[in-house]
Each structure stands twice: as structure tokens, then as C-alpha cells.
Amino acid sequence: MSDAIPTPEHARFGSNSGEALSRRDGHDKVTGAATFAADNTPAGTLHAVYAAAGIARGRVLTLDVEAARAHPGVVEVMTPADPPKLAMDPENKFHGFAFRFDCLQNDRVRFAGQPIALVVGETLEAATEGARLLAPTYEAETPGMGFDAEAPYAPEAVGIGAAPAASKGDMEAGIAAAAQVIETRYETPAQYHNAMEPHAVVAQWDGDRVTLDMPNQAPVMSRPMYAAFLGIPPENILIRTPYLGGGFGSKAIVNGPQMLAVLAARKLGRPVKLVLKREQMFGPVGHRGATRQDLRLGLDAEGGLTALEHKALSVTSRFDEFIEPAANASLHLYPAPAISVSHQAVRNDVGTPAPMRAPGEAPGLTALECAIDEAAAAAGLDPLAFRLRNYAETHPMTGLPYSSKALRECLELGAERFGWAGRPMAPRTMRDAQGRLLGWGLGVAQFPATFFAAAARATLRADGTALVETSGVDMGQGAWTALAQIAADGLGLSIDRIEFRSGSSDLPDAGIAGGSGHTATAGSALHSAGVDAIARLAEIATEDPESPLFGAGNSGTVAKDGRIHRRDDDSRSESYADILARAGHATLVGEGSASRPASAGEQHAFFSHGAVFAETAVDPDLGQVRVTRMVGAFAAGRVINPKLVRSQLEGGMIWGVGFALHEEASHDPVTGRVRNGDLAGYHVPVHADIPELTVLTVDEVDPHVNLLGVKGVGELSITGAAAAVANAVAHATGVRPRRFPIRMETLIG
Amino acid sequence: MNRFDYIRPASLEEALAAGARPGAAYLAGGTNLLDLMKVGVAAPALLVDVTRLPGLDAIEETAEGDLRIGAMVRNSDIARAPEIKALFPMLAEALLSGASAQLRNAATAGGNVLQRPRAALLDGMRGDDRDLAVLGWTDACACVHPSDFAVALAALDARLEIAGAAGLRAVPLADFLSLPEGAAEAVPALAAGELLTAVVLPAAAARVAGHARYVKLRERTSFAFALVSVAAALEMEGGRIRSARLALGGVAHKPWRTPAAEAALAGAAPGPEVFARAAALALEGAAPSGDNAFKIELARRLVARALALAAAGTPARVPALPASPLDADHGAPAYV
């Protein structure tokens, strides 16, 4: 569990933030000592495996339950013939993060991979074979697949509750005023999160209380949702997420498989473990829906935008909605007198999409940044010059100032390091010594500096150490390290003097680990909790005649390295331990919370920015692409831990390479099943695909964005990287890829 | 997966007897069979573990001077073997371009040749068009043979040594796989209980060692099946091609040898026109099996490229990016 992590020895004092500390959990993870949720096996654990629908639309006609039950070691077979009881209908959209899920309530099949039965066994092998023996038969209907499956419709909201359309100015006037108009289309495929750690749960009931060991990006938020379905008070549920092996947005949502295991454990009175197989991660646990995006850009004679129109068609499921908000990417980056974005959706017989790594921004900015390159070429301007020519000094829609925006510096620094100057305008003009076509491309990265609401607690202890607690989740991004650095600073302690407890729903709510807002949000709460604890401690000391700090109330005090000092006389100080001992306190608790006031959004626009530069080599005859170097320069406010930030930004750039060149779920048009639903078929980049990555950060002092001046970096770099690669390929070959991932057949002409 | 029995016979005779039992399957590296068992596509009642059988784990010269690779030699060991690197470097390049290091450490020579197409995992679904065949396909089967190793072996006229109750027999690799009418995938020429015991490379095939390349196209640089691949090897004499060997992968249910193209190359001086003519002949009879006509043109271009690279000479060591046309040091398109 979280507090079992030995605190590494860092021989340093003073400010913790800004230090490039290695992950506190790194040693345990690389040695295998770290126990993930599914590594827990309570005594008497049963194993659950679900049978997955082999059709995408229709009904289950038969299941050979007898054969499954007869298999040695099979304990229980749950089917819609005896639907597990839920206290609330799983179709109920009672919460912004509530998505309809399939829990054996009826025999309907509405996507391939849907759970159609659950087999529980004494061993994983018994349950697995039991599930296979069910040998389902179906009444199959023809599934609707693809953008043109049926008529699109206008959704009421996109993403999580965002407006489906927005506009300013007169679009047709903007187009009419243009010296030239660029109309262009891009398509992006269905992509699946594919975290290394599969979705899993170990459910253990004790009366009407239940403990759920499960990877969960938002343990506190999930608790009332499970409570509503299970019909027990939220406080009866303990969700523990000791570590989380990647979530990317897919692990904050209640889903059918995990719920089934919880229900099976309740029914059988024994702990039940369920771990999704890799191929089962292509269906009931979310994905990024495919998009078809149409952009129209009006340009004046000098290359200034007169109009920017972005329409997105996003694929969602037949029975629920998550509309990839791709077109909204065009609201925040380029100024034009007329801007219009809108979304349509088309229903397919697929699992419901979900937020996935920069939902909206990743496909949306990829399309926009490719279209911007097309516009630059049409205007006869270098892509970098075009972007500077159309640089938004204030937010394009609202006119509000950005709380900070060092995009210009990112563009300039990145360009200098990359060696952008001298890039020939014409495509297909650069070759390397082997005769390969070389191209240079640029993509701007942008992501909102989100801020949720969080709470935290800091407890000073008699020995001068502190316990800090918040429910936050380390999903590989290094939260436990960065958040501990912030907490230590708030307490005026070296990081090795604090114990950090996290990843559990019985701790103060740190909000969701998502939206690239975890460090800012949970960090602000932790900082405030530390400040609160120190304020209480200082109050005790300054009112105590025995203390050297007595009477310092007016001049004030400063906390550093475990001691409180008088602000006006640094030589007069007292340790936290001494103050607590004399006051007779074993502990002293500080509470902190953080949220962004609604009014903040009326004063500033909050975004992180970056510029990604890529070079690609393309075989002129064969169309094979190789990314040969990438430089990314990013501005995301204050950097708490440069090492972790670099890793996050590198990771996003690699996601961008995968987006541009590899990732695509291939659906069988007949059955609707994903036919490359494993890691042999669904490709993400391997080491050999990734060139040397240069990651630069640009200082940004942002007094407005939040208490800490921190913006997020988790999703920022994916938003510029895919377009940088695509633009480099277009520059190398003279062929503009319009469909992602980019394939050889597109480039061989 | 189903419940099954497992035995590890100590001798070939014992193994053959067990392998002839109903529902038996031989288990070697397990990198293909176990995958199929996990998804229920294969459900053997008995696994006969042949990994420890004596005499199947060595690479050795035969009395006739041929090179015999025991069926249990691991893919990674073949690729590293000095005699392979010296005599049949194309095999090393093909092997190292396949799968991942972990899989190559487990997979055996015999298992590689016998691996089933990825279509076997598709449970009746048709594959993505770009993964399907453009040569020799039927309405029932347009899937492609997944092996890289087998393509290079086919080009080198490798023979397969097969043990059965009646003793040993040899089958040319080129004749080993056939596609009967209505079959969903190619069928190996193995009778019930027969065990593939070795892959034999004829001594004569070593004459192309100095001009032999395996080239493979795929979007991902590693751990991906070939969209199209080509094994090209030339026997050079006085600046002319004395004989040529050419096989294609990723385009048919089996490694695709190209006799007409090879004949056109014999006696010619290497050059772009000659290679283009050979490429055209190599793809004679090709037809799209779906939205994959591009593979025919891509294969033509890759044949020309592979021949150009082979003519330029085998690199002194296997390139850092094996079989990639984009390997900076060894992928130079010599005639383009």
C-alpha cells in the first residue's frame, strides 16, 4: 500500500519543488516489489472470467451453462437468465461520468466484446475454460459500422458536458472576404487506451461493506457511483488503488466487467478477482471514437486568417454517448474574425467511447495543425512564419488574456534547437545521403490548464515528521513524487521527513487523476494543508511565553527545515517537535482544499502550450516512414519536477508518433469485432520507432492559473506531435496524408 | 483453456508414438500453439513436449556438406550461429526482423516454419484487406503465411526433414505447404504423428552468401508481420548474375518462389532495368483479394529494391534495423 513505500534518502534540504527527484516508487516498480490491485489475493479468493459477445448486435440465444457448471472447479455461472440485482439501473445517466454498462440484465448484445455471462471458479484456469464452454449462439443483426453507417445527428453535448458548437463573427462574410479558401478533410481511427495494467478488481465483502482493490483514476468520485448501484452507503465502500499501471482516461468509469465481479463476490460470499484479458480491453472499457473532420480556412492576401471553420463527425455507440470533441480544438489557438466549430455524431454498434489521452485535442489539433500547414503553403509562407502571423495574443473567442502563454518562445526555442531556419518551402526537395526523402514538420501543442477540486490533510507528528494524505493516484506519471515535493514545501520539511499516503477512497478527495490537472489540483490542496498545519503550530508557539517565538505574532514567522523562525530574527527559532512536545500535542492536523473560483474563467484563459518539430525520412519508392528526430519545446507554468515533466512530455511525443504512424483499431465490417484486438495486431511504437527526443521547457511564471503556478503536462505534447510528424511526411513527399495512421499505400503514389 | 495431458518423451520413438495418439500436438517453443490454445482455437488433448529430445538442438554439417538445423534450435540461436552468419546471412536477417527478442528466444526452427497464419486467431473473421494475399489466393483463403524465416528458407531451397513411424523423409520447403480447395489456410505435408525434426540447407545455396538480403515492409519497425517481404539472393560471377533466388512473403499462403523472375535474372548484368523486369515477372498472376491492389505494386518495387541491395553485397554484419529499407547504413537503394 501507499505508506509502505520506503522513503528514499535524499541528502538535501530547503525547497523540494523544482528538484529532479527520481520517482519514490521507481525502485519498487522496476524490482517487482510494487503490488498492483490485482496482485492482492485474499484467502479464499475466487476467479471470475466473463464470456464476451462475438457479435456486435443482436441477442444471445443459447449458453451451455450446464457444460460450464460441470467443468471441475467452476463455482458459479451468472447469466441474464438470473440477472444480478442492482440498486439502480445501469442505464441511468445520473452523473457526468456515468456511462451505460452491461451487467447481464438482459440478453441483448450491443457491441462485440460485451460481457454475456460470468463464470467464477476456484482457479483462473477453471473459470477460463468454463467461460469457453458456454459456446454462445446468437441471433445476429447486421452491425452499423463506420462514418456512413447511418445518418449523423447533432449531439446535445460533446466530451464531458461541453457545448457541441460555438461560433463568433460571420463565417460566410469571413469566407467571402478571403483571398483564398482552403477546404480540407482529415480522418482519425478508433484508438484503444491499452494501458499496460489491464482493468481489474479484487472485491471483498464484509456484511454490507466492501473493499475494492482496483486501478481507479478517481477513487473518491467512484465511491458514490458504486454505492448507488450496490445500494449501500458510500462510506461502506473502500476503493484502494495502490498503484495504477496507466489509465489514460479509461479507469475513471464504472464498467460492466468490474461491476460483475463485485456482484459475484457479494452473491458468493467470497472474495472475487477479475482481470481483463488483453483482448477484452477492446470493448467494454472505452476507446477514442473515430473522427472525420472538415476544416475551412479563409486567408487574406497577407496570409491572415479571415475565417476558421471546423466540423467534426465523431463515432459513438448505439446506446450511449461520448462524442470526441475534436472540433473544439479550433476555439483556442488562432484568431480569426469568424470562427465556427460544430459536431455531429454517428451511432455504431461499438462499445461506448470514453475520454482518452487529450480527448478532442489529440485528433482535433492534429487536423487543425495539418490544415494550418496547408494554409501556410497556400499563402506562400513558412509554417512557422504563418503561425506567428496568426498568433493569438488574447483568446480568439472571448478576447480574454491568457493567464500566461509562452508559445512564441516555444516556437522560437524549438525552431532554433531543431535548425528550422533554411527549411525549403517546396516539398520533396530534401534528401539524405541514402537518397531518402526528408521532411520537416511543425505542430503546435495546446491543452487547457484544468483545475478540479481537491482536499488534503497534513499531520505534524511528535517526532517532527509529518503524514500527508490525499486520495490522489499515481498512474505512472509520478504523482506521488511531485505531490510529495509540494507537500514537503508546504510544511517546510525535507521530503524525507514526510510520509505520503494516497491512492485510497477513505482519504481526502484529491479529485480525478486526469485532464492533466492532478498536480495542480491535488498539489494546491496539499500545499494548503501544510500551510494550515504550520499556521496552527506557529500560533501555539507565538502565544507560548516559553517559546523563543513568543510574541512574534506581529512580525510573523517563517517555517523551514522543520523549524519555525521569527521573520525579523532568523536566530530565534524552535523545532516543530519541541513546540508540539511543550504544548502536549501528539499530533497537529492541518486541512487544505483547493478549487478554481468560477470568476477566474471570466478574467483569464488557462492553457499550456508547446511546439513540436519533427524530421521524417521517407523511402521514395516504398513509402516507408521513419521519424529521425524530434524537438519539443513546452511552456506549462511552474515545473515541480523537471525529470518527471520531461518523461511526461517525451511520453506524449511518443503517443503522437503512434497516432501518426501506428495506432488503429480495425473493425470487421461483418461481425463488428475488432480484428486486431491484441498487442500483436494493435500497434503502438516500439523503441526502434522512436528517435532521439529533445524536450525543452520554457519558463512561465503564472500568478493567475492557481496557487502554485502549475499547469499540466500529461496530455500536452501528444496534441502537437502527431501533426508535426504528418506535416514532416507531407514536406518530405509532397503527398498530404488525410487519414491516420499514415500508410505506405498513401505515399507510394 | 481446455484440460490436457502433458508428457515429455525421452526419445524420438517415444515422441512419435505419443504424437500419433488422437488429439495429440507437439509442443516446442509454444509461442504459437499456446496462443491458439488460450483463445480456444487449438484444444489438444495431449501436449507432447519435444524440446528436450536428443539430436534436435544442434546446427551441424551433414555428410553431404549441407547444413542441418535441428528443429528445436531457437530462432535467436540460429541468427547468432557463426555458420549461419557466414554461409546463410539472409536467414539471420530474416529471423532478426521477426517477432520480438523474447519470442525469438523461445521460438524454434520447426515451430517457426509450422506457425499458423494470424487468420487462425480471427475465428472466422476475414482479415484486414491490407493483410491479405495477392498471389495464389482462393475464395476460401486469402490469408498469408506469417513467417519471415520460411521466406528466406524457400529462397535457399531448404528441405525439411520429417520423422515418422516409417523413418525419415525429406520434403522441399517449397512443396511443404499446399492450399487444397476450400481450405481456410495452407496445410503442411505432415501425416498424423509425423514430427518435423530439422531444416536442411543445401551446400549449393551458400554460393549466394555474398549477395543475399531479406527486406521487409511494415509500418512499425519491429515486432510486426510483413506487409510485403522479399528474400533476394544472387550468385555473381564476373560482374554478372550466374543464378538468382527470389521469394516473397506477406503476399500468399506460403513463401512465394518466382521461377520466371529468377530465370530472367540468370546471366544478366545487374541493373535497374533487369531488376524491374524480374519484379514484373515475380508478380505475374497477382490479383487483389480485396482493397489491396497497392500490395502488388509495392511488392514489385520491393523486389527491385531487394535485388539492388543484394547486388550491392551482403553487409558484413546484420544491420541494426534488420531487413528495413530505412536502415541508414545498409538500406541505401543502390539503383534508385
Side-chain angles (χ1 to χ4, degrees), chain A residues 521-616:
Chain A
T521 310
S524 293
L526 284 163
H527 176 86
S528 299
V531 167
D532 183 50
I534 295 301
R536 290 167 194 264
L537 191 67
E539 193 178 333
I540 293 170
T542 55
E543 289 174 1
D544 180 357
E546 303 280 306
S547 169
L549 300 168
F550 179 65
N554 289 335
S555 58
T557 56
V558 179
K560 49 185 180 185
D561 193 18
R563 300 181 73 84
I564 297 182
H565 298 250
R566 277 185 74 117
R567 191 179 293 281
D568 60 354
D569 181 358
D570 197 56
S571 70
R572 293 171 68 183
S573 69
E574 190 169 28
S575 74
Y576 300 173
D578 287 347
I579 298 170
L580 287 174
R582 205 172 46 252
H585 292 307
T587 60
L588 186 153
V589 177
E591 306 276 355
S593 64
S595 61
R596 178 182 280 164
S599 61
E602 295 162 14
Q603 290 157 19
H604 293 99
F606 303 109
F607 289 90
S608 299
H609 289 91
V612 182
F613 296 82
E615 178 184 83
T616 59

Side-chain angles (χ1 to χ4, degrees), chain A residues 129 619 621 624 684 689, chain B residues 1 218 220-221 301 305:
Chain A
E129 181 62 6
D619 189 290
D621 303 317
Q624 188 151 17
V684 296
D689 294 307
Chain B
M1 64 178 71
R218 46 181 166 175
R220 184 160 79 174
T221 307
R301 294 184 188 191
R305 174 67 58 81

